[in-house]
Amino acid sequence: VNDPLAAVLREIVGTQNVLVDPGIRAAFETDWTRRFHGVSRCVVRPGSADEVAMVLRACAAEHAAVVPQGGNTGLVGGGVPRGGEVVLSLLRIDGIEHIDPHLGEVTCGAGLTLGALNEAAGAHGLRLGVDLAARGSATVGGMVATNAGGINVLRYGMMRSQVLGFEAVLANGSVIDRLEGPAKDNSGYDLGQLLAGSEGTLAVITRLRLRLVPVLPHSAVALFGAPTPEAAIDLAQRARAHFDDLEAAEFFLPEGLDLVRHHTGASNPFRRRWAMYVLFEIASRKPDVLERFAEFMDTVPGLGEGQMDGTFAQDAMDRKRLWALRERHTEAINSEGVPVKLDVAIPLARLPRFLDEVRGAVTSFAPSARAIIFGHLADANLHVNILGADGHEEAVTGSVLRLVAALKGSISAEHGIGIAKSHWLGLTRSPQDIAVMRAIKRALDPEGILNPGVIFTDTARPVTPPARRR
Ligand SMILES: Cc1cc2nc3c(=O)[nH]c(=O)nc-3n(C[C@H](O)[C@H](O)[C@H](O)COP(=O)(O)OP(=O)(O)OC[C@H]3O[C@@H](n4cnc5c(N)ncnc54)[C@H](O)[C@@H]3O)c2cc1C
């Protein structure tokens, strides 16, 4: 309460927007997975870019570290304090300033949630091209800061592909305004693309102009059971070749299906257990989606002969039911304990080998741990969730990520590096590459105020170690 910095911040944003009470701060200090937790100096909630600029100047004057935070749904610990930082919450900067239905654009505050954006855009028959299960809480600023991917990447690209303009505040309080202007603009470096995936280490994003895509009125969802990962990959490639309006190609494994069924009470859509389940969605302006799925099914070898199984949703309820089997994985896993969450990409041809070897990589360090794996098959992006690795989290993480690196994959496909993977950056980025990234960080944030310890371990200041909480 007597912190002089908090007093300065109250002058800027008002007393009610500087949270010092530990009970009220708590929700901002623990991440969604409950794996990362730290006590903040205070939580400050500015209401405009100008207030963000003043807050950052005040923090810089005190050499106080700042953790930008949106909806706190990030999965790598980059949005919560490690200990002693000021949490800068963007949730009050959530206005929808303008939706242009003709150009398919929205201008909005960075703290707007994906759900609220889609609700407003939906009135114009539009939505954001990136969709993910955390849509109720994830903010568009956080989604740009993490370059979020999600379930429609194969059709619309990742979050960076949706950014048409931005406003952001640097650590020294200067405001970069590139909100307006033509979509085609090659006047120098594309700073908006630099901020996509910067995880709050380069600037605080305050406003965004984002591309919107049409809500397509007709969609069809089908779920397949495949006997091997190779057969599932072949199926996904056939679907990509067959449909020019494929929106999603997702996968999960039998252990994950069991867990989701246990957690939600859902029934098994198939009579037997398959090695891999693949969910497809197509969406179109034309109503013939079910017929086209039926045609596709006729081309799948082994279907109906016991070598593969498939079912497609007949109505909206059915679609939701099939999607729930994939989308409720994260919460089902979380209900079992605090998982080690890894988000990797593997060149598609090596994916079966990864699936073969990953369990050994886990159990060699944590014999009783189990890996629940699901993800975006079209992007060869696997979410590897390890339960029961208690006390061996770092060893298991290293073991899996070394396997990923050996297979020439990515140690972070869409969640970012954050705190969780900063020790492992060197596995897939060369020293030269890391030197360039550090130079960019120094150029934009020379005092290391913004999100110390995120991406690069040695930008971390001495802080109290994160407490592990269940
Ligand atoms: C159930 C569930 C499902 C998910 N599914 C997916 C998925 O399919 N694909 C995917 O990519 N992610 C997924 N995520 C992860 C998460 O939703 C995304 O990373 C999301 O983009 C984070 O947004 P947020 O507003 O919650 O950001 P936060 O968690 O608050 O912050 C994330 C990072 O961005 C920084 N940051 C936040 N806002 C700003 C800002 N305005 N300016 C600068 N830096 C900022 C923070 O410092 C932090 O480093 C999922 C999470 C959950 C809980």
Side-chain angles (χ1 to χ4, degrees):
V1 180
N2 298 321
D3 181 354
L5 178 60
V8 175
L9 297 178
R10 275 188 210 105
E11 294 283 313
I12 301 169
V13 297
T15 305
Q16 71 281 18
N17 291 314
V18 180
L19 313 179
V20 289
D21 182 279
I24 298 173
R25 284 188 336 229
F28 298 83
E29 295 177 334
T30 299
D31 83 321
W32 193 89
T33 66
R34 293 163 289 148
R35 188 170 169 217
F36 299 97
H37 168 78
V39 176
S40 67
R41 186 159 171 180
C42 63
V43 177
V44 59
R45 305 189 307 154
S48 67
D50 284 346
E51 287 187 5
V52 171
M54 286 188 273
V55 164
L56 288 178
R57 270 188 227 115
C59 291
E62 291 271 326
H63 297 284
V66 173
V67 177
Q69 188 184 88
N72 196 10
T73 67
L75 299 174
V76 288
V80 286
R82 274 61 78 188
E85 298 91 340
V86 171
V87 171
L88 193 163
S89 166
L90 277 300
L91 289 180
R92 283 184 62 227
I93 309 181
D94 65 347
I96 298 180
E97 295 169 32
H98 181 59
I99 294 179
D100 187 327
H102 305 295
L103 289 176
E105 292 181 12
V106 60
T107 302
C108 61
L112 183 69
T113 64
L114 173 60
L117 168 60
N118 280 345
E119 202 179 313
H124 303 276
L126 297 167
R127 71 171 178 96
L128 194 72
V130 170
D131 193 16
L132 37 82
R135 56 186 77 82
S137 306
T139 64
V140 289
M143 290 171 68
V144 173
T146 57
N147 187 27
I151 52 191
N152 297 148
V153 170
L154 91 153
R155 189 158 190 184
Y156 301 114
M158 296 179 79
M159 200 58 194
R160 67 167 70 255
S161 308
Q162 325 306 322
V163 177
L164 298 170
F166 73 96
E167 176 193 74
V169 187
L170 299 184
N172 65 6
S174 58
V175 179
I176 310 289
D177 181 357
R178 288 203 190 176
L179 203 57
E180 291 176 16
K184 291 184 88 171
D185 183 0
N186 281 348
S187 322
Y189 300 136
D190 191 334
L191 300 182
Q193 289 298 306
L194 187 60
L195 295 187
S198 63
E199 300 186 56
T201 62
L202 299 181
V204 177
I205 302 163
T206 45
R207 289 156 81 204
L208 288 160
R209 185 158 64 97
L210 298 168
R211 187 189 309 283
L212 298 172
V213 301
V215 176
L216 297 167
H218 304 286
S219 69
V221 175
L223 183 71
F224 291 83
T228 59
E230 287 84 352
I233 291 169
D234 177 64
L235 182 69
Q237 283 169 339
R238 282 171 189 277
R240 286 190 89 157
H242 188 92
F243 297 112
D244 55 15
D245 52 2
L246 192 61
E247 291 235 321
E250 302 280 303
F251 82 94
F252 49 88
L253 302 178
E255 308 79 45
L257 178 61
D258 291 345
L259 197 63
V260 170
R261 289 186 54 217
H262 175 72
H263 177 70
T264 65
S267 58
N268 191 342
F270 301 119
R271 239 172 285 147
R272 63 166 268 205
R273 198 174 166 84
W274 293 96
M276 199 154 170
Y277 298 90
V278 187
L279 181 145
F280 295 115
E281 177 160 23
I282 58 171
S284 172
R285 291 184 197 277
K286 298 203 192 111
D288 61 348
V289 282
L290 284 179
E291 291 86 323
R292 288 195 289 118
F293 244 128
E295 271 169 31
F296 171 65
M297 285 178 144
D298 285 343
T299 70
V300 176
L303 202 63
E305 296 160 18
Q307 290 152 28
M308 184 156 324
D309 210 345
T311 172
F312 60 93
Q314 300 291 344
D315 55 28
M317 276 288 279
D318 257 5
R319 285 202 296 275
K320 218 170 151 183
R321 189 175 52 79
L322 290 182
W323 260 115
L325 298 176
R326 156 66 183 85
E327 282 214 307
R328 297 192 70 179
H329 265 66
T330 307
E331 65 180 76
I333 291 163
N334 264 29
S335 74
E336 295 278 301
V338 179
V340 174
K341 293 184 86 68
L342 302 174
D343 156 48
V344 304
I346 304 290
L348 205 53
R350 300 193 190 121
L351 197 142
R353 187 169 147 206
F354 177 80
L355 290 174
D356 254 3
E357 295 182 16
V358 65
R359 287 190 175 76
V362 168
T363 50
S364 57
F365 287 92
S368 55
R370 58 190 168 129
I372 310 290
I373 302 174
F374 63 95
H376 316 293
L377 187 57
D379 313 320
N381 177 185
L382 294 82
H383 298 314
V384 181
N385 291 263
I386 302 150
L387 283 164
D390 306 346
H392 306 285
E393 287 90 346
E394 277 305 287
V396 164
T397 300
S399 176
V400 174
L401 296 186
R402 275 191 293 273
L403 174 62
V404 171
L407 296 176
K408 301 270 178 274
S410 164
I411 63 164
S412 176
E414 57 177 17
H415 293 164
I417 293 295
I419 295 297
K421 294 185 193 165
S422 54
H423 292 288
W424 310 103
L425 186 63
L427 276 179
T428 51
R429 292 281 182 252
S430 69
Q432 295 82 347
D433 204 333
I434 293 173
V436 174
M437 291 201 275
R438 279 183 195 287
I440 294 170
K441 167 74 177 167
R442 271 197 306 275
L444 271 72
D445 179 18
E447 302 291 326
I449 301 287
L450 287 175
N451 239 353
V454 167
I455 302 180
F456 313 103
T457 42
D458 57 2
T459 57
R461 293 153 175 228
V463 291
T464 48
R468 294 257 153 79
R469 295 204 329 191
R470 287 188 67 91

